[in-house]
Amino acid sequence: MNEVLLRNLTPSVLAILVRRGADFAAAEDAVQDALVEAVRVWPADPPRDPKGWLVTVAWRRFLDTVRADAARRRREDLVNEEPAPGPAPAADDTLRLYFLCAHPSLTPSSAVALTLRAVGGLTTRQIARAYLVPEATMAQRISRAKRTVSGLRFDQPGDVATVLRVLYLVFNEGYSGDVDLAAEAIRLTRQLAAVIDHPEVAGLLALMLLHHARRAARTAPDGSLVPLAEQHRGRWDTASIAEGVAILQAALARDRLGEFQAQAAIAALHADAPTAEETDWVQIVEWYDELAHLTDSPIVRLNRAVAVGEADGPRAGLAALAALDASLPRHTAVAAYLHERDGDLATAARLYAEAAQKAPNLAERDHLTRQAARLNARR
């Protein structure tokens, strides 16, 4: 396998796809898939025309993505922007597809990645960002999952835990990313809750409703991000909050705590506070302790450091942050916030600027850049 040849061919193959009508981001995903396939196939069966082979495979992958995106958009058109409260209708084919993609022959992580790509409509880049891995690594994982299930009968649905994980990640991408999938994730989770009586299913639905209730207040009219502490709480959807809290309380009463219930409890404490200053940060730290015990997630511990900084002071938060890997997404932004709260404006401004360069999307980058500029103006 000539890796130099692949690298040299990539720009021209990408250019050909763009000339044929593919948008640049979709073309990049398609070419990445083609490169992964070349690494798998070429050592045993090298093509006579490597460039032509890559163009053909990449174009097919692009067309598959377009068809999948079109199908997803048709499904989204069936639901209103804001999901209605109350019981859901019988499960449709979309939810069944989630279960079928979570095939027993796949590991949970591979099943989640495949489902997000094939059914959820997320790009390889978005999935990689959710899993904190390089895009090339995720592309290889998805390709391996496709090969694993190739030719298998899809008559053995996967487990509920894997489907919950997929719905959670789809909602997160729709809530904070470039593709609006939050309403679809809530719709499918409602359907799942209607047919499966499990506290974690209820916990996930409560979590989604509580987060979605704040959506209208998360951005200013110019599209800029509004931090939670600065949001106009009168714009929060009180009906969704009430429904989410009721669902969560019923789930917690069953005394079978899981990570989605713990996350929903944290969201409920934020929703319950009349003002940011009245937030019960001590109890939020306790819930983060429960969540860290359940998941051992570095992202959970990062968020816990923020809560500790609010409950016990910024220096306590910085001490909790010091125990974490500095390469974690948003680690630098959290450090900037805690240093600002501690009065070290010079360090905070520098860290905000660094965090802006690492931001996963334009809105977050602009917000962090403005934070750095605000502190520099005060010095």
Side-chain angles (χ1 to χ4, degrees), residues 1 36-46 53:
M1 168 61 63
V36 171
E37 188 68 7
V39 171
R40 184 181 73 86
V41 172
W42 285 12
D45 185 19
W53 188 98

Side-chain angles (χ1 to χ4, degrees), residues 208-222:
M208 289 180 176
L209 290 169
L210 289 164
H211 276 304
H212 207 263
R214 302 199 301 259
R215 183 168 189 168
R218 291 186 72 246
T219 55
D222 63 359

